[in-house]
Amino acid sequence: MIFTVAIDGPAAAGKGTISRAVAARFGFAHLDTGALYRAVGVKGGDPVAAARDLTPEDLARDDLRTLAAGQAASKVAVIPEVRQALLDFQRRFARREGGAVLDGRDIGTVICPAAEVKLFVTASPEVRAHRRWLEVGGDAAQVLAEVRERDERDMNRADAPLRPAEDATRLDTSDLSIEEATARAIALVAARL
Ligand code: C5P
């Protein structure tokens, strides 16, 4: 069976948690596409070459979840050649046998416009910054500033900006528990399977 679930949204909206839960529930493979951009960002050197030569070791680095890696990712993500270099891998993953969940910024709009399910997950910047701060610690005001800066860059870039696909279902997780948010996503997928 070929079945793609596209989950997009801004940083720390809950995409990762929801994607892992959906993948586990239906036995689908999961690709965190942000990790691709993070790996390119932290690798250094020429980002286009880094994107073309990305290795499994690059994706297994333990510094990929840091704030610095998130910022570095959103800077290389504005480069069209970087996005192009990562496109085929993501599309092939999406159409693999057995079903796939991809989370990112442009899955429903660019990578898989024909995805069977499209979800756009949001939450207020304050809620998202608080969640990220629980993960990474440090100065809460700085975490909020970095979340806003990354939103700004991701939404305003020319190539594949962050925006909901017209046919995406919106899910605002600001006032939802993890269980409620994942239950809604799972119900949506179950209804279309
Ligand atoms: O989702 P995550 O916070 O790991 O993504 C890091 C950065 O990678 C994002 O801020 C965004 O700039 C970029 N990204 C992207 N397209 C995707 C996934 C991530 O541009 N599909």
Side-chain angles (χ1 to χ4, degrees), residues 4-160:
T4 309
V5 182
I7 304 191
D8 292 303
K15 302 185 301 293
T17 307
I18 292 172
S19 300
R20 282 188 297 274
V22 168
R25 169 69 182 76
F26 297 102
F28 294 170
H30 170 225
L31 180 64
D32 163 13
T33 66
L36 306 175
Y37 293 91
R38 286 171 180 263
V40 171
V42 299
K43 198 164 177 180
D46 171 15
V48 178
R52 288 188 182 138
D53 301 334
L54 215 54
T55 63
E57 291 75 49
D58 294 330
L59 295 172
R61 293 174 63 128
D62 54 16
D63 57 352
L64 292 188
R65 299 303 312 161
T66 61
L67 285 184
Q71 288 290 355
S74 84
K75 288 180 186 160
V76 298
V78 305
I79 305 169
E81 293 80 8
V82 166
R83 308 198 69 83
Q84 184 63 38
L86 300 173
L87 186 80
D88 281 351
F89 173 71
Q90 295 175 81
R91 283 205 176 135
R92 275 200 308 276
F93 191 98
R95 303 313 276 171
R96 67 198 277 152
E97 183 53 42
V101 183
L102 285 82
D103 72 300
R105 303 289 185 289
D106 63 340
I107 309 304
T109 51
V110 175
I111 306 293
C112 305
E116 280 73 13
V117 176
K118 294 183 189 179
L119 204 57
F120 194 82
V121 184
T122 57
S124 71
E126 290 74 17
V127 166
R128 292 187 286 116
H130 182 67
R131 290 178 188 159
R132 189 45 54 86
W133 176 78
L134 291 174
E135 265 176 43
V136 299
D139 176 1
Q142 194 201 336
V143 176
L144 176 58
E146 297 214 15
V147 161
R148 287 191 193 279
E149 191 188 320
R150 205 136 68 84
D151 284 358
E152 195 65 21
R153 201 181 294 119
D154 289 349
M155 290 188 297
N156 293 312
R157 69 185 175 214
D159 191 15

